[in-house]
Amino acid sequence: MTDADSPTPKFRRRADARPDEVLDAALTLFGQKGYAATSVAEIAREAGISKGAVYLYFPSKQAILEGLVKRAVTPISARALEQAALAHGDLRTALPAILGVIAEAMNDPKVFAVPRIVLHEAVVAPEIAAFYRDAVLNMAMPAVEGLIAQGVARGELRPVDPEMTIRSLMGPVVIHIILSEVFGVTPKGGLDLKRLVDNHLDILLNGLFTPPGGDNA
Amino acid sequence: MTDADSPTPKFRRRADARPDEVLDAALTLFGQKGYAATSVAEIAREAGISKGAVYLYFPSKQAILEGLVKRAVTPISARALEQAALAHGDLRTALPAILGVIAEAMNDPKVFAVPRIVLHEAVVAPEIAAFYRDAVLNMAMPAVEGLIAQGVARGELRPVDPEMTIRSLMGPVVIHIILSEVFGVTPKGGLDLKRLVDNHLDILLNGLFTPPGGDNA
Amino acid sequence: MTDADSPTPKFRRRADARPDEVLDAALTLFGQKGYAATSVAEIAREAGISKGAVYLYFPSKQAILEGLVKRAVTPISARALEQAALAHGDLRTALPAILGVIAEAMNDPKVFAVPRIVLHEAVVAPEIAAFYRDAVLNMAMPAVEGLIAQGVARGELRPVDPEMTIRSLMGPVVIHIILSEVFGVTPKGGLDLKRLVDNHLDILLNGLFTPPGGDNA
Amino acid sequence: MTDADSPTPKFRRRADARPDEVLDAALTLFGQKGYAATSVAEIAREAGISKGAVYLYFPSKQAILEGLVKRAVTPISARALEQAALAHGDLRTALPAILGVIAEAMNDPKVFAVPRIVLHEAVVAPEIAAFYRDAVLNMAMPAVEGLIAQGVARGELRPVDPEMTIRSLMGPVVIHIILSEVFGVTPKGGLDLKRLVDNHLDILLNGLFTPPGGDNA
DNA sequence: CATGAATGAGTTTTCATTCAT
DNA sequence: TATGAATGAAAACTCATTCAT
């Protein structure tokens, strides 16, 4: 189009929003078809711009993936730190809260899409996995581990190993999502996250086995 | 490579183990670089045969992937069913045994490679995921769920939800492996599966929290 | 070629005639070596573009073949219908005219190439043959058959079978071309189409045999 | 019969018949799918022998094609020459006989298969076409042309051009078969060769047009 | 003689990236 | 800035031919 010198462009060149639109498009498509099976042309089409324009904002297809992870990751680790800082004292209410927040977040496909893509591309692009590890896992996990360690120190928790316990805490939620999203193994009644979290918390609080002596809450 | 110094025989004869050699090569490469990034030519080279020969045994690249999963899957589901049948009565010893066996199995990269690849290709080849679901998950999970349900009925376990509880049981092991294998998040001291399982079992047996009235060790 | 001596422009710009250039190249090569023996790479080279560019205009090699037939076919059936409509009344002049036009057209290798290719690919790509049949034969033949039927009705022609007579009309021209183009059986004196048509018309007008009574024109 | 001294082996090693079986298989498959689309493996399978065995009798795939043509061609040209020699004097009965024989022969798919294949492969293997030309066309056509020339000399035929007239004679039959076999253009009532030949002969004998002075039915 | 496993060149097709406009 | 035509380097797959057995 040669409409270069049009005065008062009714349609602004929203140049600044462009990269985000590209990322939105990529998120959708990578989530649907995977990174390898998504072409740059499709991303461009989905974003409503030309193929060439994509390369104005990202030097390569892989850079889009990195940008995607980067964008998704920043707020997450921030929130995780907040929550950890928030919780002092009562882990009996803090842990359920944390677990609930995480479960609900992961339940949003838009949010789950990023770790899923990272999981997907980790083998082929280890730097993506490394980045995710550094930006998310290594930020959020120590925070929760600290909470657990404090709980142990305070005597609120039994003398468990914090570094392992976080896996006992989070693992069930993660595997529940993976089973459903990746393998289509959904419980009868649907992916009922509350049901999972409630049952899991029940076990964490009261143990799995019936106490020898006998009467639970 | 294990190539003996045979005088370059242009035609080696059917080892009859050929398909398995192709699968071994594919397992290695898929595990290293992912399915999409591995070319049939590379598989052939790794297997020590020509590109064309691969197509003598597998009609397509995807068929190699399927063969891989099939080969890995058959013994696993068989063993899982055995173990479940074996365990009657004392879940206090059966569950730790099952968890230990699974953890140890997953710890072998040769074994973990297949679920990892499946996880990887699930998005792009849902029939692989479906096959794995049908051949492994839907075989093994109900068996363990049955065990849990029996334990509840017998009063050995607290009245938990078996379908959710299996996730509380297995999730920590799975995430521990994923964290390490995929993201390189390994605890100080290495991927110590015994440490994880022991801590997890401790929580399952005794709960996470200090009992209200009580004094634990 | 019409390549100007431009200083090796890596990217020539869309001539907009590109698809036609590809078809021209394909026509030449298919005619020379047949469809199966012509690679897309060769077509691209002949057209002066890259292999990939061919796929910008045609989704597959077969689509090129189809495009070729389509392009050649449209004007032909149109012209045939015109001519049929034109001729009323005097078949003694109309038939020679039609035959002459067809013979001359077929004599142009550019025109004959397409039916030849179709003949060639009919076995392996029946939809090509079907398309040609629907677009050319089923359009043109009924028109001529109608002419013949009218001639019979009007008493201008003897009571012949129009559907068979069109074969007596056209067959000699077609076989003359095939003999020459395909088998290299050319009469002494060259492929003299006028000589063929004149002799054929002579037979049609006067019969092959000497009339019983005796004296011809 | 030279098979005199075979000691009646119940299972003869029909080694001599093998090449013919290969040719039979090839004839079937080439006719069905074309030369290019038929693999040597398929020919071997159809012939009931191994791929390698094919190469015991024919040095290459193309040699099979040549063998096919050679085998089909020899008897044809022989018969044509016989018939031409047979006919002296009365062309009014000889020509219809010849036309009838040829039409009937071509109507047998087994017989038509070879010229069809030749037509098909002529572009890509001109030596096949050349061979067919030399062995069939250049043998049979001059014979018939001679007949025509004699007829003219004798005054039985009008003073036509023999070399062109053979095309007027045969063309309609050939095109009738091609239209039906290749393009699926079959007259209502089926490929009725007698109907075609009768109509064609009627035209040859009596002309197409109503005689000027005359009174036809 | 006969087999069929093995080869590897060659084919079609895709797509990340470039660059003239 | 923005476009999208053009590139060309792979990749999956086929198959005529060879040769150890």
Side-chain angles (χ1 to χ4, degrees), chain D residues 166-196:
Chain D
I166 191 176
R167 288 158 173 79
S168 292
L169 218 56
M170 301 302 178
V173 176
V174 173
I175 210 181
H176 191 236
I177 307 279
I178 289 181
L179 278 174
S180 166
E181 285 281 318
V182 178
F183 293 102
V185 175
T186 314
K188 327 177 241 306
L191 180 103
D192 187 340
L193 267 166
K194 187 175 172 352
R195 182 180 158 209
L196 176 88

Side-chain angles (χ1 to χ4, degrees), chain A residues 102-212:
Chain A
I102 287 180
E104 212 151 341
M106 295 275 277
N107 196 29
D108 176 1
K110 279 272 184 185
V111 172
F112 180 61
V114 168
R116 167 138 84 130
I117 292 165
V118 172
L119 204 67
H120 210 76
E121 301 314 322
V123 186
V124 108
E127 67 277 19
I128 295 285
F131 178 73
Y132 193 79
R133 177 192 63 215
D134 295 340
V136 179
L137 303 178
N138 283 347
M139 299 300 275
M141 284 173 62
V144 178
E145 283 172 38
L147 244 51
I148 295 170
Q150 286 170 27
V152 172
R154 228 185 296 115
E156 190 179 359
L157 299 185
R158 293 186 33 260
V160 293
D161 179 339
E163 210 177 5
M164 297 295 106
T165 299
I166 190 175
R167 288 159 173 78
S168 291
L169 218 55
M170 300 304 178
V173 175
V174 173
I175 210 182
H176 190 237
I177 307 279
I178 289 181
L179 278 174
S180 166
E181 285 281 317
V182 177
F183 293 103
V185 176
T186 313
K188 327 179 242 305
L191 178 102
D192 187 341
L193 267 167
K194 187 175 172 355
R195 181 179 158 210
L196 174 88
V197 169
D198 285 352
N199 185 75
H200 185 46
L201 285 171
D202 176 32
I203 293 173
L204 291 178
L205 288 168
N206 307 311
L208 177 57
F209 289 87
T210 308

